[in-house]
Amino acid sequence: MFKNQITDPSVQLIDVRTANEFKSGHIKSATNIDYYSSNFSNQMSKLNKEKPVYIYCRSGNRSIKAANLLAKLGFTEIYDLEGGFLNWENNE
């Protein structure tokens, strides 16, 4: 499902890994917002709450925490890539 849904241009695809992780490979059209960044919450709050947000990290731990933050910020359509980028790479 995740792979098909992110082809929609209205989707906000967010990679919450570090900049170095992002540079080493990422899903096409993803935006990098580092979970460990001091302004992570501020950057996430600037996303459009009216559009779905698809997030992923390396294995799924950071993206689950990011999804919880988005829910607290009032986002309602949040999708987390199960198994993270590791799972994505293994299924490509």
Side-chain angles (χ1 to χ4, degrees):
M1 178 186 119
F2 195 96
K3 191 173 194 173
N4 294 333
Q5 300 287 28
I6 61 172
T7 59
D8 183 333
S10 71
V11 160
Q12 301 172 101
L13 179 60
I14 308 299
D15 181 326
V16 297
R17 299 175 302 154
T18 65
N20 284 339
E21 287 175 301
F22 187 78
K23 286 176 193 167
S24 71
H26 58 272
I27 300 173
K28 186 181 174 191
S29 77
T31 299
N32 184 219
I33 301 177
D34 184 352
Y35 179 79
Y36 296 121
S37 166
S38 60
N39 64 348
F40 178 74
S41 294
N42 187 39
Q43 287 183 287
M44 293 298 268
S45 68
K46 292 178 181 175
L47 297 173
N48 187 337
K49 291 181 182 164
E50 306 301 313
K51 293 183 178 181
V53 179
Y54 288 76
I55 56 176
Y56 69 93
C57 63
R58 187 181 66 83
S59 63
N61 291 327
R62 284 173 280 181
S63 58
I64 287 171
K65 293 173 186 172
N68 289 334
L69 170 70
L70 287 171
K72 287 178 187 168
L73 291 172
F75 288 81
T76 55
E77 273 196 86
I78 307 161
Y79 303 94
D80 187 5
L81 175 59
E82 188 176 328
F85 191 68
L86 292 174
N87 186 45
W88 177 271
E89 282 187 311
N90 291 334
N91 290 308
E92 278 298 292

